[in-house]
Amino acid sequence: MKPAKGQLTARGVAIGCVGCAIITAASAYTALKMGALPWPIIFAAIISLFFLKALGNTNLHEANVTHTIMSAGAMVAGGLAFTIPGIWIITKANTVDWWEMLIVALAGVTLGLVCTVFMRRYFIEDAELEFPIGMAAAQTLKAGDAGGKVGKQLFGSMGIAGIYTALRDWFGVIPAMFFGNVPIPGVAFGIYNSPMLLAVGFLVGTASVVVWFAGAIIGNFGIIVGGSGLGLWDTATGQGLASSLGMGVMMGCGVGVILKHILPKALSMIRSGAGAATFGSTPSGTSRTDTAPTAGRRRMRLTAGIIACAAAAVALLLCIGLGLDPFASIIVVLLAWVTTAMSAQSVGQTGIDPMEIFGLIVLLIVAAVSNVAQAQLFFVAGIIAVACGLAGDVMNDFKAGHVLGTDPKAQWIGQAIGGVLGAFVAVAVMFVLVAAYGADAFGLGGSFVAAQASVVATMVSGIPSVPAFAVGLAVGCVLYLLGLPVMMLGLGIYLPFYMSFTAFLGAMAKVAYDLACKRRRAKLSPEQAEAKRKAQDESGLVIASGLLGGESVVGVLVAFASVAMGLAL
């Protein structure tokens, strides 16, 4: 079956690929710099609709497929950025070749794409999960007129953030930190002079950022300052306790996702006798009740053949390209199916995709049952993280397509195009960044905090305080089961204080913005006020997205320029 006409178009592919390259580069930089990666789907939806409308004669399906291409590479970049820098953090040397990173990225993309083909029907149609990010993308496309004013706001804010970043990072005119010289032992105090981090606080949501900041207060002023001040431990020990506790809380969140969402569904599927065909997709316009048994068996055989070929190809690639032994390669391929399903479940119900946690789980399993070198363990985590990141993005896009009635095959092809392109772009950006700044620039205290990769590195090389990690693991799991945003709490405990503080200021800017907008709507009728509120919310989203994108893109360009100058000299 060919994709429906007018949905996967040449101009849509061209626009999507250009946007994919930019968003992927920005996402790699953001993930390394911030230790976080906001979903780029809404941003991509707005941009896609804006440019397609400018060209004329478009439709929401074309915009939906275009934005699918555009956003695909971001999570590929996230999967690499959240795992591979752990090697640099441990060794303080660039011991990873670009082609090894590329194999990791392409293997993860392949596994993510193959698995989501057979998960779409179950998670989107049968389970009817919410997929809040995908729903928001669909509503953005349905309601948005992304022309004129929106375009000016977006590119204006991108330009301002870009110029500001160049003045800070390239010309050194603007300081990188305010109040960074405040002497608080063990605490990296200050306000990071970053439009991107302020925008992250604005976009993530006030409640989540408040929890994030509460974690920062607990970790820095409770454990490090408070504990050392009471004589319970010295500053260095307090820092180890805080980082271990933060890692445990984040890991506990991943365990909570499994216990709350994955295991019950898996047990239900086993009891009901659901097989692999449950994850298949029904062709457009065909219901399962009117599908002939013979055609169904043919599809099942074809499905099994595709799975077998893809699994064998990836396993062979891991053996030959990365030097994994056959047993470890088989484990990675088999667990990719499990973890991508976990990712889809988590994204569908919470909007959160803890891809590095899933990668870490598989890493620990492989390390326990196979004799694998340290660097190869990071490759294992990277493959799974990329597969899970891409799966989360694909399922969000499938949800948007389900709401809009877009052909899922057109979306999947678009995702494949963007995923493969994103793999090459993400590898190029990471290779350039490590070449420009050096391996010692990654990790806590470096130019690129790489929080998730630091967690993976710590788990591989040894946890500073196992008891604190165990406490965090239990607390994180329990709090997640109670429905609290515990991932943000753990992130706050773990990250340097200046990052959490700056994001908190961004959230407070969102509060101030909302209050100012509310005052402007006070004298309008209810209908006018609601329309105005939607327009104001969109403006805030677009401007904040532009600030984030502007700093990210210029940050990558500065790195490229540094490498080019170094080569020229």
Side-chain angles (χ1 to χ4, degrees), residues 360-420:
L360 187 53
I361 291 170
V362 177
L363 177 155
L364 295 174
I365 292 173
V366 170
V369 301
S370 180
N371 186 21
V372 176
Q374 190 179 71
Q376 293 173 326
L377 290 175
F378 286 99
F379 295 156
V380 167
I383 292 165
I384 297 297
V386 169
C388 290
L390 189 70
D393 185 76
V394 175
M395 300 309 290
N396 272 323
D397 291 333
F398 278 152
K399 182 65 175 183
H402 184 66
V403 172
L404 298 172
T406 306
D407 182 1
K409 185 172 183 180
Q411 287 189 280
W412 187 89
I413 294 173
Q415 193 78 31
I417 294 170
V420 172

Side-chain angles (χ1 to χ4, degrees), residues 26-189:
S27 296
Y29 184 88
T30 302
L32 292 169
K33 196 82 170 177
M34 311 288 300
L37 184 58
W39 288 104
I41 296 175
I42 307 301
F43 176 75
I46 293 172
I47 293 294
S48 299
L49 194 58
F50 170 76
F51 280 107
L52 288 171
K53 278 182 173 289
L55 295 175
N57 193 27
T58 188
N59 58 73
L60 290 182
H61 302 305
E62 184 183 20
N64 194 27
V65 174
T66 301
H67 107 260
T68 298
I69 299 171
M70 195 176 289
S71 67
M75 294 300 113
V76 177
L80 290 177
F82 289 166
T83 53
I84 300 301
I87 301 175
W88 306 329
I89 293 170
I90 289 178
T91 64
K92 299 301 179 183
N94 183 15
T95 58
V96 183
D97 290 317
W98 67 267
W99 54 266
E100 291 177 316
M101 274 197 284
L102 185 60
I103 289 174
V104 169
L106 291 177
V109 167
T110 301
L111 291 173
L113 289 171
V114 170
C115 291
T116 50
V117 169
F118 311 111
M119 292 192 297
R120 189 201 71 83
R121 191 180 73 194
Y122 173 74
F123 284 110
I124 302 298
E125 297 179 15
D126 296 347
E128 296 182 336
L129 298 183
E130 294 86 354
F131 287 97
I133 306 300
M135 282 292 296
Q139 296 306 319
T140 298
L141 288 172
K142 287 172 67 175
D145 178 10
K149 182 180 178 182
V150 171
K152 292 178 181 178
Q153 290 174 335
L154 176 66
F155 294 111
S157 62
M158 285 185 71
I160 291 171
I163 293 170
Y164 197 88
T165 302
L167 292 173
R168 184 194 68 198
D169 294 348
W170 186 256
F171 297 102
V173 176
I174 301 173
M177 190 83 67
F178 293 130
F179 307 110
N181 57 352
V182 176
I184 304 177
V187 177
F189 187 83

